[in-house]
């Protein structure tokens, strides 16, 4: 069975508690349920994780190699700063979709830069929590059709 790791970075554990005008009212637990439902529909395995620590996120990515077939990564603010995360994604060689709740391109200039985009298959942003099931479908489709 195809298996995906869905990994969430710093502060995303706070979803649903603050800044609902930007990030909506859903919690990370709600998003995990959305992902589980989508995975059931598509007959995929998923693992879901969150960390506020760059090193722990990197450890998750390293451990995904040989266990999962693809990665969905909302790296939070590390997206815009972390060469180390970019290198981790690149080193696993796992097809990766970069995901954001908000449209990072419509926000502050520093959010327009993404180190993850350089090593990702593609990027989904701006659709709120609905972006997670979209990313699952897009990654499953990518894995099914790649040469
Ligand atoms: O839009 C996204 O998904 C982001 O990855 C979210 C990050 C932000 O730094 C990125 O530029 C875009 C921030 C996550 C913070 O989440 C919070 C949730 C509730 C309250 C405060 C922060």
């Amino acid at each position: 069975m195809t298996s995906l790791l869905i990994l969430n970075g710093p502060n995303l554990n706070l979803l649903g508690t603050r800044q609902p005008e930007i990030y909506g009212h859903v919690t990370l637990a709600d998003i995990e349920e959305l992902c589980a439902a989508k995975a059931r529909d598509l007959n995929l395995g998923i693992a879901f994780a969150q960390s506020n620590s760059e090193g722990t996120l990197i450890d998750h990515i390293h451990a995904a190699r040989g266990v999962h077939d693809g990665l969905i990564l909302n790296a939070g603010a590390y997206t815009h700063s972390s060469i180390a995360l970019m290198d981790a994604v690149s080193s696993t060689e796992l097809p990766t979709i970069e995901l954001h709740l908000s449209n990072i391109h419509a926000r502050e200039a520093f959010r327009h830069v993404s180190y993850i985009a350089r090593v990702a298959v593609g990027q989904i942003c701006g659709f709120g929590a609905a972006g997670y099931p979209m990313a699952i479908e897009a990654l499953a489709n990518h894995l099914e059709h790649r040469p």
Side-chain angles (χ1 to χ4, degrees), residues 9-20 22-23 74-80 99-104 107-108 110-111 125-126 132:
N11 299 310
L12 287 160
N13 56 313
L14 299 177
L15 279 179
T17 65
R18 278 168 241 164
Q19 293 185 274
I22 302 176
Y23 299 116
N74 184 347
Y78 288 140
T79 303
H80 320 299
L99 177 64
H100 301 283
L101 294 154
S102 61
N103 178 358
I104 56 173
R107 298 183 66 191
E108 304 95 325
F110 61 82
R111 294 188 207 274
C125 70
Y132 281 75

Side-chain angles (χ1 to χ4, degrees), residues 23-102:
Y23 299 116
H25 289 281
V26 290
T27 65
L28 199 61
D30 295 332
I31 290 177
E32 185 170 1
E33 274 181 35
L34 276 179
C35 291
K38 188 68 179 180
R40 273 195 299 276
D41 282 356
L42 299 180
N43 199 29
L44 301 167
I46 55 162
F48 193 92
Q50 187 273 336
S51 175
N52 293 321
S53 146
E54 189 177 19
T56 304
L57 291 167
I58 290 168
D59 289 341
H60 277 295
I61 293 169
H62 289 172
R65 193 168 187 179
V67 175
H68 299 290
D69 302 292
L71 172 67
I72 294 169
L73 179 60
N74 184 347
Y78 288 140
T79 303
H80 320 299
S81 65
S82 178
I83 295 168
L85 263 181
M86 177 187 75
D87 285 346
V89 170
S90 172
S91 74
T92 58
E93 296 174 351
L94 284 179
T96 297
I97 292 195
E98 176 185 354
L99 177 64
H100 301 283
L101 294 154
S102 61

